[in-house]
Amino acid sequence: MPEDGEPQVVLCLDVLNEAFIDYGTYAHLRRAADGSLEVRQTAIPAPGPVIPAPRPSEPAQTREPAISEGFLLSPDLGDLKSAPGSAAAPPIVEIVDHESRARQARKDAQSDTIIEYPPLPDREPIVIPRLMSVSQPTTVSLNDIDPEDYGPFQRLGRALATEHSDDLRRTKLSASHNWQKAQVRAETARDSIKAALPLDIPLSETRKALIRHVMSAKDVPNRKNELGAAATIVDCVIEAMGDEAQELLSAFIEVCGQRLARQISKTLRDFNPTQITYIDDVEWLAIDKTRKAQRKQEAGHADGTFDKALAFNGWQKNLYSHAWFDSTPEFQAAGLIDSSSSVVVWARLHNNDVPIQWTTDGRNYNPDFVVIEEIDGKRFGWLVETKSDKDMSTAEVQAKRRAAKKWANTANSSPQVQGVTWKYLLAGEQDVEDAAGLWGRLKEFCG
């Protein structure tokens, strides 16, 4: 410690001595061989407590640190520089946060240990279809059309069913004779439809006819995965036609089929494809790898405090005992997923768990979560991604979103994928915040 009369850093409570390190630093000037002055910083041991006890004649008090005019102290107390023209430097004690130092030491001590996390044996396994992608920049697909963009097909169904549609008016030719000459009259009223033809063609047959029209439309590849997407579009049109769908399709299947095929071709021309397509064969990928991490374990997650360095426990439906996250929205999303009564099992996805190719040069996208839920006896599989609000509208995020939706559409169209309907959900940080811990609400916000 400096002798009496030298400037020093003094604090009032000597019980805080335990919070300080037992060395000091000082800066001094050294003249180099070329005559210039260099600043050097030296550490020396502190022979006694940093904060001396007050003399008997002096009351204990708190005084501001006094610092020599010959020195400039940087804001972090760790960078001391000698002012021009100053004399030899007295030592100045460097103060550190003892609690932070101890906390970091505990983390460092545990980070040296690699902990393994196998899937929990009492949790239902997660199996995901593995779709083999290929780059075909010129290929378009019915799976490029997301169900959220089925508006034109719904409008077409309603138009075909309207009473005033010219396409639904047909001419009925009927003849009578008075034994001398034939008389022919034309009827175009809607009421004459039932008299024109027997209207008892099963809806299942007219549905197949519409699917054939879709598959024959221009630019539609003749492949198995396209057939499933065609059926989904046809079902959308039939639903929009309403209760009279069977009657109308029985009478006007060719008109409806031709109109639908034209709408399909127009949609594919206007659509900007993701330039990625998939082969017909489907493999299956089980999420069963043992996770490994050098992270401090946290007993629970209910208090909502996020730390990137922690592996959180306390999950009810996670496939693994612990999970760790890259951001607060991810951490919050995991909490609301885990607390939902409809969720069967979920997992935080790691790189290459479910790779989705989103560029023709082979770059893959990995979502944050896979969620399996069951509603009214039906299974749904969700790939979930969380993003900051500022990144939601970027071209890259939207391109990955299109690729993931096409992945889900292709999986649902494959005859080899049964029992689970796959969906994709992209949530911004505000969406997660506004969901207030409810998985159902988050789906409504982002679905």
Side-chain angles (χ1 to χ4, degrees), residues 58 127 179 191 215 252 284 339 344:
E58 294 179 351
V127 180
W179 303 103
D191 293 338
M215 294 299 296
F252 306 107
W284 296 96
S339 63
V344 177

Side-chain angles (χ1 to χ4, degrees), residues 9 25 41 67 73-80 92-96:
V9 176
T25 62
Q41 184 168 316
I67 300 177
L73 186 60
S74 68
D76 63 358
L77 299 180
D79 185 16
L80 299 178
I92 294 192
V93 176
E94 182 180 7
I95 304 174
V96 298

Side-chain angles (χ1 to χ4, degrees), residues 140-145 150 214-215 220-221 226 229-230 233 264 268:
V140 291
S141 167
L142 293 175
N143 290 300
D144 284 315
I145 309 173
Y150 278 5
V214 172
M215 294 299 296
V220 175
E226 302 299 316
I233 293 173
I264 288 288
L268 291 179

Side-chain angles (χ1 to χ4, degrees), residues 108-353:
D108 293 342
Q110 184 155 6
S111 66
D112 294 336
T113 303
I114 298 178
I115 305 175
E116 295 188 347
Y117 302 96
L120 296 174
D122 61 337
R123 300 288 161 83
E124 184 171 326
I126 298 177
V127 180
I128 302 176
R130 180 181 176 87
L131 307 181
M132 307 303 294
S133 57
V134 291
S135 300
Q136 294 183 356
T138 59
T139 299
V140 291
S141 167
L142 293 175
N143 290 300
D144 284 315
I145 309 173
D146 191 84
E148 293 181 0
D149 301 322
Y150 278 5
F153 305 115
Q154 293 172 338
R155 290 191 292 272
L156 175 61
R158 291 192 293 268
L160 292 173
T162 183
E163 183 176 358
H164 303 290
S165 171
D166 290 338
D167 288 325
L168 292 185
R169 295 180 181 274
R170 63 175 298 151
T171 300
K172 173 191 175 186
L173 296 179
S174 59
S176 63
H177 59 85
N178 56 7
W179 303 103
Q180 293 181 353
K181 64 179 180 178
Q183 296 179 344
V184 179
R185 70 180 185 276
E187 296 180 359
T188 59
R190 177 66 178 269
D191 293 338
S192 67
I193 293 176
K194 293 183 178 180
L197 286 173
L199 301 178
D200 56 356
I201 302 176
L203 186 60
S204 60
E205 295 300 319
T206 55
R207 178 178 179 271
K208 291 178 182 178
L210 286 181
I211 292 175
R212 288 194 294 270
H213 276 284
V214 172
M215 294 299 296
S216 65
K218 184 179 179 181
D219 298 327
V220 175
N222 186 19
R223 299 173 57 239
K224 293 179 182 178
N225 288 342
E226 302 299 316
L227 190 63
T232 303
I233 293 173
V234 166
D235 289 340
C236 173
V237 173
I238 291 176
E239 182 180 359
M241 294 180 73
D243 296 336
E244 295 182 335
Q246 178 176 348
E247 175 185 327
L248 296 172
L249 289 175
S250 294
F252 306 107
I253 185 61
E254 287 302 316
V255 172
C256 294
Q258 292 169 8
R259 291 291 298 269
L260 179 56
R262 287 198 294 269
Q263 182 61 55
I264 288 288
S265 297
K266 179 180 183 302
T267 302
L268 291 179
R269 285 196 306 269
D270 295 342
F271 192 79
N272 182 20
T274 61
Q275 300 184 334
I276 301 296
T277 189
Y278 295 92
I279 65 176
D280 289 334
D281 292 334
V282 176
E283 298 178 358
W284 296 96
L285 177 66
I287 305 300
D288 58 2
K289 296 179 181 177
T290 296
R291 310 296 202 204
K292 299 180 180 181
Q294 292 178 312
R295 296 171 186 259
K296 181 179 182 293
Q297 293 181 332
E298 187 70 11
H301 62 276
D303 64 355
T305 302
F306 171 67
D307 188 334
K308 190 175 181 179
L310 300 180
F312 293 92
N313 194 0
W315 310 103
Q316 300 299 314
K317 300 179 180 180
N318 187 5
L319 181 63
Y320 296 87
S321 63
H322 290 72
W324 45 95
F325 310 93
D326 294 329
S327 67
T328 298
E330 283 182 18
F331 175 68
Q332 294 174 334
L336 62 85
I337 291 170
D338 191 71
S339 63
S340 173
S341 60
S342 65
V343 171
V344 177
V345 63
W346 65 273
R348 170 76 164 85
L349 293 174
H350 291 198
N351 283 342
N352 295 319
D353 278 348

